[in-house]
Amino acid sequence: MEATREARATPLSRSVTAPSGGASWETGRLAGPDRDRDSEGRARQARPRDALGRPLPYGAEGVEPVSEEPLPPEETLEAARELVRAGRPFAAHEVLEARWKAGPVEERDLWQGLAQVCVAMTHAARGNQVGADRLFDRAAERLTAFAATGGWAYGLDLEAVVEQARSRVGRL
């Protein structure tokens, strides 16, 4: 772990890893290899978060976390839509990310592109125009690449999704 890290604090997210790589200054929780992990050593989301995915202090009341287990494709899309409608694009990204990591390699661009759309929406909601623009662009490129393969998009109109992503660039 590096000796120093750039601190990026927001009003609701003020936990910064100490220069030693140890406990955060706010929570006293350890970072790095001592993060919240399951019995197989995978990082898990034990820390509460707000609706836009910003970490809250341990013990704070955050939004209900989404399952980290992948859903079938159609259920993934429906869950992601519902989360976006509820103002939780970060959680929608997590649902899509679980599908992308569990799905077939030939569908990676589809699920990753959709997840990037949700992350772009999260950046936009947080007021980060540069981050939103970059992710909307990447998402459009990835979804266009997937569409070019002729792969099944589970009923999604990828052309419309790409058009919407591109139309959001430069607009908060």
Side-chain angles (χ1 to χ4, degrees):
M1 184 174 279
E2 295 181 20
T4 62
R5 288 182 181 230
E6 179 181 328
R8 294 182 188 159
T10 64
L12 293 177
S13 171
R14 298 204 184 277
S15 181
V16 179
T17 303
S20 66
S24 75
W25 63 269
E26 180 182 33
T27 65
R29 295 281 181 150
L30 296 178
D34 296 316
R35 296 185 335 195
D36 300 315
R37 297 199 176 267
D38 66 13
S39 61
E40 296 174 12
R42 292 185 307 238
R44 292 297 180 202
Q45 54 178 335
R47 189 164 178 186
R49 294 185 176 268
D50 72 6
L52 292 177
R54 293 174 287 220
L56 299 170
Y58 283 94
E61 188 172 331
V63 296
E64 181 71 26
V66 296
S67 172
E68 294 179 14
E69 297 303 316
L71 299 170
E74 290 84 0
E75 289 179 42
T76 298
L77 292 173
E78 188 53 38
R81 283 184 187 114
E82 288 301 317
L83 288 162
V84 167
R85 286 185 198 120
R88 296 184 59 197
F90 183 82
H93 138 266
E94 290 180 325
V95 169
L96 292 161
E97 183 178 62
R99 177 79 247 146
W100 130 43
K101 290 181 176 180
V105 171
E106 57 272 8
E107 291 182 0
R108 181 183 174 120
D109 281 341
L110 170 65
W111 300 112
Q112 194 171 25
L114 294 171
Q116 288 174 322
V117 167
C118 292
V119 173
M121 292 170 67
T122 301
H123 282 298
R126 291 177 179 176
N128 178 358
Q129 180 73 52
V130 172
D133 288 353
R134 286 181 182 159
L135 268 295
F136 279 128
D137 276 339
R138 285 186 206 153
E141 289 172 15
R142 206 171 280 284
L143 293 170
T144 299
F146 178 79
T149 70
W152 173 240
Y154 301 94
L156 285 176
D157 181 348
L158 287 183
E159 188 175 313
V161 176
V162 168
E163 183 179 316
Q164 284 294 311
R166 288 193 171 128
S167 74
R168 299 279 309 264
V169 173
R171 294 181 19 207
L172 271 183

